[in-house]
């Protein structure tokens, strides 16, 4: 593989976040990042394996930010759990650890299940998705398929409301009914003329899915002209992820695809949970 290195537009500029010159009393002061996100990123990047704990002075020196600015941002980052205050200074907080754990989990799901998903799409000619449930939404971890895949607006890392997707309903059906009812108790957003918008109708649908071995259907509920079949992957009574097959609504063989998808979802579940002692 050949890698071409492009010259920097400004060779002398920092490779960190974009900085703007401040009209400070000291005309020789370093450029300061413009946005709060850039400043937070500088502070988070200041920590490494060699220095997991830093003092206020250490953070000022490493970031180049004014002391008053660092102190003000630190208070907010502690309140939001991005950082924690210890006797030796500051360290990364629980929020960073939680997000890191989620990323590792998602990568593990994708590594274990994606080969099966891509093989399934080749066999069926359908568009396949792998997703996890995040509150009231599904988050897509993988997408596979042929020409039709380009027509669907789904993308890796993208989100869709869970109540109108087969993936979302398959995973919602694995929750305790009272948990799902608490999460969906008011009128739901409509994406198409076929979208379920009433909570009672959604809960009846989830009950039917439980009776169908966890198979969920989307009959043009999320996108006109597109239908979908989904099944969850179960591990110790929970459903951290689900697989689906999508295609043109007028060409879907729901029963046949449901049988194939159940078989693959069970195999994917064994591939995923067989390598884990438990699911967090």
């Amino acid at each position: 593989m050949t890698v071409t290195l492009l010259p920097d537009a400004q060779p002398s500029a920092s490779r960190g976040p974009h900085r703007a010159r401040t009209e400070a009393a000291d005309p020789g002061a370093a450029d300061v990042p413009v946005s709060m996100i850039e400043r937070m990123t500088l502070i988070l990047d200041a920590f490494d394996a060699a220095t997991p704990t830093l003092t206020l002075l250490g953070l000022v020196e490493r970031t180049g930010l004014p002391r008053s600015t660092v102190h003000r941002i630190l208070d907010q980052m502690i309140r939001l759990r991005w950082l924690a205050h210890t006797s030796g200074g500051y360290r990364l907080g629980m929020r960073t650890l939680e997000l890191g754990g989620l990323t590792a989990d998602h990568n593990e799901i994708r590594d274990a299940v994606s080969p099966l998903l891509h093989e399934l799409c080749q066999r069926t000619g359908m568009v396949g998705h792998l997703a996890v449930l995040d509150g009231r939404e599904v988050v897509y971890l993988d997408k596979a398929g042929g020409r039709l895949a380009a027509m669907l607006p789904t993308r890796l890392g993208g989100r869709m409301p869970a109540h109108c997707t087969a993936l979302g309903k398959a995973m919602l059906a694995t929750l305790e009914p009272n948990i799902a009812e608490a999460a969906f108790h008011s009128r739901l957003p409509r994406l198409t003329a076929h979208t379920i918008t009433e909570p009672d109708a959604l809960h009846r649908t989830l009950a039917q899915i439980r009776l169908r071995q966890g198979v969920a259907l989307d009959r043009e509920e999320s996108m006109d002209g597109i239908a979908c079949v989904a099944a969850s992957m179960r591990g110790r009574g929970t459903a951290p992820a689900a697989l689906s097959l999508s295609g043109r609504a007028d060409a879907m063989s729901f029963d046949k695809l449901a049988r194939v998808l159940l078989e693959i979802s069970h195999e994917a579940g064994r591939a995923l949970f067989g390598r884990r002692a438990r699911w967090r």
Side-chain angles (χ1 to χ4, degrees), residues 40-56:
M40 288 178 60
T41 301
L42 272 181
I43 290 173
L44 292 173
D45 285 347
F47 296 90
D48 55 34
T51 52
T53 302
L54 288 167
T55 62
L56 174 60

Side-chain angles (χ1 to χ4, degrees), residues 126 218 226-229 245-254 257:
M126 311 296 288
D218 164 7
I226 300 298
C228 185
V229 182
L245 290 171
S246 300
R248 297 199 325 273
D250 59 3
M252 289 286 284
S253 176
F254 289 102
L257 290 175

